[in-house]
Amino acid sequence: MMMNQSDSPLFIKLQPRMSDFFSQVPSEIVVNVLSFLPAKDLCSISLVNKNLWSFIQDDYVWQSICINQFPVNYVSEELNKMIAEEYASRGSNSEEQPVNIINKKLYKRLSRHISFMAKERRITWLDIQQGGGNYHHWRTLEDSQSEFGKIVFLDNVWWFDVMSTLKAVLPGIYDIVWRLKIKSENDIHDLNFSATVVEKIEDGNEEMTIHEYNHTPQRSMFSSIARKKDWVEYRLPYNLVVPEREVIGDKLVYHDVHLKIFNYSGFLKTGLWIDYVRLREHDESRVYERFE
C-alpha cells in the first residue's frame, strides 16, 4: 500500500505546529488579521492554542473588530447609547465615574439584528394624542412577555406603515421574523410585508437597492394567528441574502436592511400587537410554526 506524503513521519515532523507559527508572527499583525474575521471563526480559533485564546480575550482586539467591521458613525452611535444606558442604570445619586466600555459587549450590540417597535418608535401615528385626547391610533403598552418590556398596539387606523431599519447587517442568509398577535382576522387582513437590502458607503447618505422582497399572506394566515390568542413568531416565506462587505478607497461598503408592514386599503384596522422584527441566521434544522 502506498503511503500518502502527509502520512509520512518526516512530513509530520517538518510540518510547523499552529502554535509555533503564530508565536513567530508580530502581535500587531495577528490582531489585524483577527479583526476582519467573523465572530464564529474567532470562537473556533480561540480553541487552537492558549496564545490565540489570550488574543481573543483582549478587549483591544474586539475594539479593532468593531472599527473594521462596522461604519464609524454606527459604532459611535451605539457606543453613546451604551454610555447613556449605563449612567441611567446607576441612578441620579450615583457617583459620576467614567463608564468602562467592554468592546466585546459593543460588538454583540452592533451585530444583534433586532428592532423592538416600542423602543424604536418608528410607527406612523404612535401615541400621537398621548395625554391630549381620548383617541389613539397606536399605543405603547407594557408587556412582561416582551424582552424589551413594551409593545405597540393598533387601536384604530385606516392606513399605516410600520417600519424599521437594521443597520450594518453582517453578511449571510437570514430568516425575517415578526413577533405579533392578532385579535381578529376580520379587522386585520391583507397586510403587506416588505424587506429591502440596500448598499451604503461609509460617511455617505446615498443608498442603492441590492435585493427587494415583498409578500402578502393569504387571509387564512391572519385567521390562524388570531385563533392562537397569543404571541407568535411569523417567519416570512423567503430568505434574505446580505452580500459580503468590501472596502473601496478606505471606505467600508456595507448593507442596511429596511423592513416594513403596511396597508393602505380603505378599511378600519384594529387589534394588532407588534413586539419586534428580527433577522435570524438561517438554519435548515430550525422549525417554525406555519400559519399559511
Side-chain angles (χ1 to χ4, degrees), residues 80-214:
N80 290 334
K81 287 181 181 179
M82 281 183 64
I83 294 173
E85 291 170 7
E86 176 65 22
Y87 278 126
S89 66
R90 294 179 180 183
S92 57
N93 296 325
S94 63
E95 296 182 5
E96 292 297 322
Q97 296 179 351
V99 175
N100 181 26
I101 293 300
I102 301 174
N103 285 286
K104 188 173 183 179
K105 182 179 179 181
L106 176 59
Y107 174 84
K108 289 181 179 179
R109 185 182 182 115
L110 292 167
S111 58
R112 187 169 179 260
H113 307 312
I114 181 171
S115 176
F116 288 93
M117 293 297 121
K119 183 178 181 180
E120 298 297 330
R121 302 183 65 80
R122 293 191 60 198
I123 296 178
T124 306
W125 301 324
L126 175 59
D127 297 338
I128 192 170
Q129 294 183 0
Q130 184 71 41
N134 297 321
Y135 189 80
H136 304 270
H137 297 289
W138 289 86
R139 285 188 290 159
T140 302
L141 304 175
E142 293 188 359
D143 192 310
S144 60
Q145 294 183 337
S146 170
E147 184 179 336
F148 176 62
K150 294 181 180 179
I151 54 91
V152 293
F153 171 70
L154 174 59
D155 237 344
N156 288 282
V157 74
W158 285 96
W159 68 269
F160 68 85
D161 281 305
V162 177
M163 65 201 79
S164 179
T165 296
L166 299 178
K167 299 179 180 180
V169 177
L170 297 172
I173 301 174
Y174 296 92
D175 295 326
I176 305 173
V177 181
W178 287 86
R179 188 172 190 259
L180 45 82
K181 183 165 58 172
I182 296 174
K183 184 177 182 180
S184 169
E185 74 278 9
N186 295 323
D187 300 315
I188 291 293
H189 55 83
D190 298 331
L191 300 186
N192 305 287
F193 294 80
S194 73
T196 307
V197 181
V198 298
E199 181 181 276
K200 302 188 71 173
I201 299 179
E202 194 170 19
D203 297 332
N205 295 320
E206 295 183 1
E207 59 184 37
M208 180 176 65
T209 298
I210 302 298
H211 300 299
E212 188 169 359
Y213 309 82
N214 292 282

